[in-house]
Each structure stands twice: as structure tokens, then as C-alpha cells.
Amino acid sequence: MKLLQPDFYVCMYDGYGTHIDEITDTALILEPTLAVARGKMLRYFLAQEKHGKKALFNFKTRHNCTTFLSKNSPTMEMVKVLCNVMGYDLQPKDEENKTMDDGISFIEAATWYLTHHKSPFAEEHPELLALRDTALLYRILVTDTAHRRHVKLQRWTISHAAIGWKIKEPGGINSAKTQVDLNASCFNQEFVCIETKPKKSPADPKLWVKKGAAESLEKITEDDVLHQRQLPTFNNALSQEDSEYLLSALTAPYMRIPIVVSFFSTKDRVSALLNLQLQELLESVLFEPMRWTPEDAPDIRYVPAKGDELIGCPNGLLLNELEHAPDVLVSSMLQLTEDALYLNTGSYTSSSTSIILFVIRMLSGVHRFISFLLNDHNDDAKKTKLEARKKEKLEGYSKKIHEILIDKARPILVQWEQQAQDQSDLRHSCIMNAHLTILYRGVHYSENISLANVQPMMAYLAFLQTWHSPGLGQGAMEEEKKRRIREAKAADGDVRKRSSKQQSSREQAQAERLKIEKPLLVAEHVYFDMLNIHRQGLVKWFKKASAKEVDAVMQSILRVATRNQRLQSSGWVARSGDGNTGVFCGKKEEIEINIQSIELYFRNSHIEPVPNHMARTDDFALIFGKEPQHCALVAAHEHRQWVRLVGRSYNIRRWDEPKDEKRTMINMPHPIAEGERGFRWQGIEYSRPFPSDKIRPEERWILKVVEPTILSKFGQWKKVPYVKEKRFFMSKEPVGENAYSTSLIAFDKGTWRIFKVVKHLNVCFMYVLLEHGRRMYPSLVYTSNTRYCYYSMKPDTDDRGSPFHPLLRNEAGKITGKVALKDSVVISRDVKDDIEETFTPERFLRGVIPAALTENFFFWQRDTDDHLVGYPKELHHPDFQYKIRVRLIDFKNNDNKEKEEEEEGGEEKEGMKIELSSQDCEWMRTSPLGPIGLDTFVKVEERSKNLPGRMPFDLTKHDAADSHVAREMLKRLEKDIKLHAEMENAKKVPGLIGLMDDDFDIISSENPDASALNALCSKGSTFLQNLITNLLELRQQDTNQIHLLTKYLITIANNVELDQNRSDLLPKLRDPLQHDDNEDDDNEQGDEKKRNTPKNSRKTSNNSGESWSELIQAVAPPPPPPAAAAAA
């Protein structure tokens, strides 16, 4: 490149010929280091242009970034010079090492050298091509942001970011071979770069002066403003007088900063900053650097100056103002902040919030520039030493600004941030944390800084690093951003078409565009610059800090970043070794924090909010609600992303959409063999076509139920898609005559349909297999009779053109619905003993488990036995204070059903079979403690003391007892008391043997007999011990019987219809406690015998010779119709 320096320089003009110094004059420079870097950059480029003669890479960009180069352009001339100097042939060889045609033109060869990735320029001089791409990107970046094309969200690599060049097709080279059109692209799409001038500065008075004669003027003066008949009022925010004053100040760029800031610092004008245009105007006045002049520029000797080229600053107006005349600016900013904070209403949704946040941004920016002058710019080595008087004054102003930001503004922002979190308003929570962060912009971070400045700043930065997505806005995906841009453009278009109602629409459009360009209202690079500039000082501070201070900062970071104020953390230590500078780990070494980037790691994975494509699913919201969750990446595969929640035992796995229909999944039917028709599912082969003439006579009941079900929707078998394509099968093995049910399988254009036909109910259920985490689950979508359905489905109530089929009168659901494959999110958790449970949503249990359970319980499937465990949805619901365990049974193996039921009982013994006699039922009705033999424990005696048959007091002498009514009431009371005493005295009182009145007389006598007393105590102790033992045994027996009875009673209650041969048991089922006449006679004649019945009499049969357990077994229904084993 040194060979080219004497004659060539890089062109730094935009498409309209505007130089970089003019473009940066109106650029918002919010960081003072960039303002100084701008001055150095302009000095370099202007020096290059001063000595150079020819501008390289002067691309004329047009729509779709089509640029052209002419044969005589300096860029093509540079190619020729470089080829001659380096000895490159202008007849190069192509990729196949073949020499190009002799007729190739110079412009084609030069273009090949300049754009091809295998040319000698790319291999030997890569810096030249990097300079080419930089020049193009510069032109794109200085255009209007509305014309840029957004990069799609997907997994990109570095190679995708490289700019690709190619000749436009067709007609990329003109017929005269003098010009070539080139297309540039990256990220698999062409740039969109329309030749538009950069956006005008809001502080430019030409933007606000009425169109007319003044529009053609190169410069607007104060006289031009004064002669305007109508000035803008900024949506009635300013009066005509105030607008004139403000615009007049803008005509004097070098003096505008103190004038404009003092203009808004009055109490009657601070509310005008509610207008977004005035906010942009004030921000531009403060942070636009304006005209650049070198440090060695000649002094201004005449006022007014003879030329504008002398009026300027080497490092921008704001640094110049603060260095030489800060009084008016800083005092006005302090007063403006005081007035703005006075507008606080206590709510972040108030309209005054935008004013307060804006003023805080401006004051923190000014504070940062003051800090730069005091620390970074005050350096003897850089020859930028501040005078002692100026330094003392700036230090005083810096202290005042820091006090008002921390002591007055910070409590307001903390209150608003808490309100936003309480409302689950994450966007405004991020906005408040961004403003809390910039409160510390002016703090100089070094090893001597206090904990009070380190701890909050790092906590707020951690919140933004964790919850905010830079470049997209909080929670905004690419499509959402595009939608906002379209709405903003539409609003702008409407503004251009209207004349009278312009202002409000333009305000809305600007507000919407502001959400896109500045989702935090704070420029994102501001807080990144804070971290980048101060990280060295932070690392030094942490090395010097005590363990207590380190723990305090780390705990604050964790609490704020995870939004969990109860989180406790201690024992943080710095990791040792190369590459671990600034990395601290907790006591358990699971969580790490990098203080240089404010990033949190869990088990070496970056901690971040759960991705939107996981957190926005219904299943995730059902389990975790609206509370934000953090996660760490466990593994990322081609089709699966696996994260684990931080501090919780939950795993979230996101599977992409299955693209290949032939992909094998768990519980998915698969073809039998190549060349054969049929499927195999759950160990059963389905290979007999359905319907078919080969259906056996004993299988005709299947066709009888299925035919009306399907033909009611299609009319004819040939119109059924899966029948027409011969993808409808029944089991290969014949269905027995005594079969309870059977299944049929159909495959219909990506949708698996399972037909379950129940014989004795004459009902057909249709399930579809739904994919979830590469596993297929059956879900009920149709039933021919809702009375036998586990899932509540709405019957069809539309008008019909023909009568119902008898079997379809109560049908519900859609038999023609299809299933679309999509992404799925699987939630699982670890429980004790290394058991993992996977959440099974309700939609995968429809028709498998009764809806009464799925409506009140969350079901999780265990990986050890595939059993389902139900947990109540409402933990404090009084009716559901228990868990449910559902054991999945494969009903195709009915022979082992009884064996499986015995295994389910686990601890159930032979003596726990349900065998209740009529005597047990009678005891339950009259004497629940009868089975223990009460006569051996209870003795009935007459009362030791009789009740008196009179009133204990005399009311006849009372003054109110003289009336006739009172005397009659007293007589009635005496009569009732006498009658009550006679009834009570005639009763016998039961008492426990050993604890009767006579026994207590022995104990309470003055001189008790020792031997009699010991015998009484021994007898009483033995008696009570036997009573307690019998009561506990009785309670255990009752508990066991109720446990078993509940199981069978639920089975009976869920049974809808009985076979004919069981109908004789229905009266007994309705009143199982009724007895026949003979049994009642026996009961009347044998009362004394019953009282002496031993306590194990519950195992005897009733008089009819039929035990209660036999009755239950007789009426117990067959297994339920759905294929419950399918979920396994």
C-alpha cells in the first residue's frame, strides 16, 4: 500500500459528495473519547487528501447496492498501477487454470482482480480488499437507517459476514467495455442502500424555517428568523415568542449551547420537553460537535469572522464549552434537572416520566464529559493539562451533579423500576435499569473508588446484560421489529398526505421509531462504553477489595440480574490462571461472574433469560407462570436445544419441527417391511386392509360401527383419502368373538389416525398421534358417542340434511381434522433417587385419562416406569390435598391383567379382600364399635345420684311474676323439669370397667387398702391396654376396607351401561345395604346373639350366599375403551 500513497487516497465522501467532516458535524457523539478520536481521524484524512490526487473506491451506491466503476476511474487506474508494479498479468487465468480469451477487455480483467476471492490481490494484498469493503460500509452507514435491510435471526458464521462482490447480471458490463455494474451482498442477501442524504440535524434552523425564500439560503441568520410570519410551535409546546428566541439561538452555532440550555431551565418551559422534537433539538445542541478545526488553526482576529472555516473546535463544542466557560451551562443543567424532578407523580406511567428520563440522560452525559476533562484529558503526556482554576471549578460542578443524580434522581428511578417489575413490565424495567446505570457515567473508576459506586453500577449493568437483547430491543424478535418499522413508515406516509392534522401523527411515528432505534431510550453503546472504559479500574479495585466487599457486589449482581431479592451468596473468590482475570466463582463453583463483561455463567454456560421461543409457549406459562426464569445452555444439537433453569431442577428441551415424515419416533407406527403394506404399532402388526371382503363373520361388528362413522362424513369409501391410498389397516391377527375392543390404523398425508372400536358399547373413538419431543402421543379428536368419552366434547348442533344414524346421535369432534408438525418444548424435572419426570400436557391425555383429573391435576411421566403422577394444580385446594399415580396398562395383554392389579396393590395382603356381611353393615348403621365386643369393656349401671325434679331457684316472688302469663310459664317450667328428671333418672349410665364409681371410691378413700389399690391399678391398666389395642385394630381394618372400597366404587360409578346378563344385579347395586325379609326376622330374634358375635365376623358371607366382594366383581365394568398404553 505504501506504493500507492503518493498518488491515491481513500475517498471519504458519501453518495452526494458530502465529506466526512461535514457528515460528522451533525453526528451525536455521546462519548468524549469519540469526540477526541473524531478530531484525530479528520486530521489524518484531510492530510491524506491534501497530498493525494486521486480518490479510491468512490462508489456510487444505488438501489440494492448496485455500484458502478468506469474504465478511467482512479480505482481502475490503481489496479493497473499495482499490476504493473507487482508484475501481475492483465490477462489472468481463471479458476480452472486456463488463460482467458485474448479478447478480454481491461475492465473485465481489472474487475476480476478487484472482486474475485482467488485473485492475487486477495491472496497477496488482503488489506487492499479490506479497505475496499470498509469504504463501501462507510457509505452504507451514513445513509438513512430506514433504508437498511435487517439481518435475519439464525445461526451465522464469520464467513457469512464477509462482503461478496459480483458483476450484475445481465448487462453488468456495457457494450463499449467502459463501465461495470457491481452488486455487493452479505448474510445471503444484497444490501439496500438508496442514495439519501443523512438525516438533517434537529438543531439546524433550516429545518424549522417556513419553506420559501429562506429555503434556498445556505445559512439561516437571525434576520431570516425574525422576518418569518409564522414560526413552528412544536405542537403548541412553545409560543411564537419562545419559538423565535429558540430558533434565533440556533443561528449562532458557537454560542448556542449555553443559550438553549438556559432557555429550557425555567420552570414554565421544562414541561415543553414533553415534545419529542424539542428533546431531539436539545440533545443535538449539546452533543453535536459541529465544525472541526485543527489545534493549529489561525486565531480569529475580526468579529464577525470573515469565514465559517475559522469557527470551530478540534474536539467538539461541548468539550470546548466545559473547558473554557462551564458556568452557564452547568448551572442551567442543574436547575433544569431540579425542575424536571419536581414533576414526579410517583408513577412510571405518567406523562412527565419521559421528561425526567430525558433530563437525566442529558445531565449524565454532561457529567461524563466533565469527568473526561478531569481525568483522561488532564494528562501532561498528552499536553492537555487543565489550569488549576478550571480544574477546581469543574471538580465542584462534578460533585454537585453526582449528588443530584444519586441523592435525588436515583430514588425515583428505583421506585419506578420496582413498579415495572411488579407489573411484569420487562421493557420499562430495562429502561429504568439503563437510566440507573448512566447515573454513574461521570464516576471515575479506579482502585480507590468506593463500594457505594461499584456495587449499584455493576448490578444495573448485569440486569441489562441478562434481560436486554442489544440491537433488537427488549423481547423483540425480528418480525416484531419489521412490523414496527412498517407501522412507522405508514404513519410517516399518512403525515405527508395530510395538511391540517400533521403534528399528532408525526409525533406517533417518531415515538414508534424511537422504540426501534432506542428501545432503552439510552443509546446501547453508552453503557457498553462505560464498561469498556472502566473495566481496568474495576479489575484493580476487585484485586484490592476485601472478601466482604466482593461478596456484597456479587450478591447484588445475582439478586438484580435474576430478579430474586432473597438470593444469598458468599465465599466468592477469583479464579486463577491465564485468561481468568476478573472471573469470580461462588462457593459451589457452579455460578461464575466475569466482571470485565458483567456476564453470568452457570456450569460454564452463559446465564440468560429463557429464550422467547421457549418462554412464550403455553406449556411453559402453565408451569412457571409469568415470573421470569434464567437458564444456562446444556447442549445445542442440530435438532434440539437443551437448557437448564438456574437454581431449579428443571430442564427445557426445544425440538425443531420434524421435516422428514419417515423419521422414526417413539410410539410411532412404522412400516412392516419394504414392499409390504401395513404398519407395526405397539408390538401389533396391522396389515389387513380395511374395509375388505375378507373380514371374518365374527368381525362384522367392527364394520358395523366404523362404517357409519366414516361414511357420514365422506359418503362413499372411495372418497376416503386413506382408503383410496390403501393406508387403512386392521390387525393381522383375527379379532376373537369374545374380544372387548380392537384398533385400526390409518395414515392420511402426515396424520396418523387410530380408531378404537368397543364391541359391547357400539362406539368408535378416533385418536390422532401428536408429536412432542420426537415422541408420539394419542389425543382424542372424535367419538361416536360422548356418553362413553373420557374427554368432554361438544356435540354437533348444526342443521343436518338427513336424520342421525342411531349410533351417531351423540357424536362429537372432527373425524377429518389433520395435524401439522411444529416445534415442541419439553419440560422435565429431577426428583429424588435420580428419577426424571416429564410434563405431559392435557392435550396428550385427552381420552386416556378422565377430564375430571386433567382439569385439576398436572401430570408428569416418570422415566423409570412410564407411570403418570398427578400433582394438584392448586396446592391449597381443600378437595385435592393428595397426589395421583396412574399406572398405564397395555390392554392387548388381558391375560395378565389380574396379575398386574395384584402387583399394583403392593402391600395388599390376602386378609384385605373386601368381604362385608350384613352384620357389618348393621353395625356401621347403629353401633360402629360393635365389632370389638363392647360388653367386655363397658358396664351399664343406674345413676348414682338422681336429678331433682324441681327448679333450683324460686321466681314466684319476682315483681314480673304477678301476671297471668308469667304464672302459667312457671307452671310449665316446673312440669317440664320434673318430667326431664324422671326420664334421666330412669336411664342407665354406661361406664368403662375398672373406672366405675366404686373403683374411684377405693382410690379416693382416706385410708385405702394397699393390696386392693394395687390390684385395681393392675386390672385397670390391663383393661385400658386391651381396649386401645382393639380400637387401633378396628381403625386399621376400617382404613384398609375403605381404601379398597373406594377403588371399586369409583369403577362402579364410572360404569355407564351393563350387559343384559348383569342387569339382575342392578337393584343390589342401588341399595347394597338392603336385606331380605328372612334376614330381618333373624336379626329381630337374635339380638343377644349378635352382641356376642366375635370381632372377626366381618369375613362371613351374607345370607344370600353372596359376599360384598363378589357383588363388586360381578358389576365391575370391563377396561375403559381408550388405549391408555399408547402414552407409554
Side-chain angles (χ1 to χ4, degrees), residues 1093-1121:
T1093 303
K1095 59 185 178 182
N1096 62 352
S1097 61
R1098 290 187 172 205
K1099 298 181 181 179
T1100 62
S1101 302
N1102 55 21
N1103 292 340
S1104 62
E1106 188 174 37
S1107 67
W1108 179 251
S1109 61
E1110 293 173 352
L1111 176 64
I1112 292 180
Q1113 292 292 342
V1115 300

Side-chain angles (χ1 to χ4, degrees), residues 198 385 405 625 687 703 1012:
K385 186 71 174 178
L405 287 176
S687 57
L703 187 62

Side-chain angles (χ1 to χ4, degrees), residues 849-859 873 880 882 884 886:
I849 294 179
L853 298 180
T854 58
E855 289 173 359
N856 297 289
F857 291 85
F858 289 129
F859 283 92
K873 292 183 178 180
F880 303 107
Y882 51 86
I884 293 178
V886 180

Side-chain angles (χ1 to χ4, degrees), residues 111-125 129:
T111 302
W112 184 86
Y113 273 106
L114 195 61
T115 61
H116 202 276
H117 65 283
K118 289 189 177 181
S119 68
F121 285 9
E123 296 177 354
E124 302 295 337
H125 310 285
L129 302 189

Side-chain angles (χ1 to χ4, degrees), residues 167-311:
I167 299 176
K168 181 182 177 182
E169 295 178 357
I173 299 178
N174 62 357
S175 57
K177 308 292 184 179
T178 58
Q179 180 174 304
V180 59
D181 288 350
L182 299 174
N183 282 345
S185 63
C186 71
F187 295 105
N188 296 337
Q189 57 182 339
E190 294 181 347
F191 292 110
V192 173
C193 184
I194 301 176
E195 280 195 358
T196 56
K197 290 184 178 181
K199 185 180 178 181
K200 288 187 177 181
S201 169
D204 188 354
K206 291 182 66 176
L207 190 64
W208 308 109
V209 173
K210 185 179 179 181
K211 292 183 178 180
E215 186 180 14
S216 60
L217 299 176
E218 293 184 0
K219 181 179 180 182
I220 301 296
T221 64
E222 185 178 3
D223 293 337
D224 298 322
V225 175
L226 295 176
H227 285 83
Q228 293 294 313
R229 294 182 177 273
Q230 188 72 24
L231 292 174
T233 60
F234 301 93
N235 200 18
N236 297 323
L238 298 178
S239 63
Q240 287 289 314
E241 292 79 7
D242 289 344
S243 179
E244 179 183 307
Y245 183 91
L246 178 62
L247 296 181
S248 298
L250 297 180
T251 60
Y254 195 78
M255 301 175 58
R256 69 185 187 182
I257 290 182
I259 298 175
V260 173
V261 175
S262 62
F263 170 81
F264 285 105
S265 62
T266 58
K267 291 185 177 180
D268 58 330
R269 295 194 183 111
V270 65
S271 58
L273 290 175
L274 185 62
N275 184 277
L276 294 179
Q277 293 175 330
L278 289 177
Q279 289 186 12
E280 292 180 350
L281 187 149
L282 179 56
E283 186 178 28
S284 299
V285 168
L286 280 172
F287 299 108
E288 287 181 359
M290 297 305 294
R291 183 180 297 276
W292 174 83
T293 57
E295 292 86 345
D296 54 355
D299 297 334
I300 300 176
R301 298 182 178 275
Y302 301 97
V303 178
K306 295 183 179 180
D308 292 340
E309 64 275 0
L310 297 179
I311 302 177

Side-chain angles (χ1 to χ4, degrees), residues 319-333:
L319 277 176
N320 186 74
E321 191 75 24
L322 291 172
E323 183 177 357
H324 299 289
D327 298 334
V328 177
L329 169 60
V330 178
S331 60
S332 298
M333 286 299 304

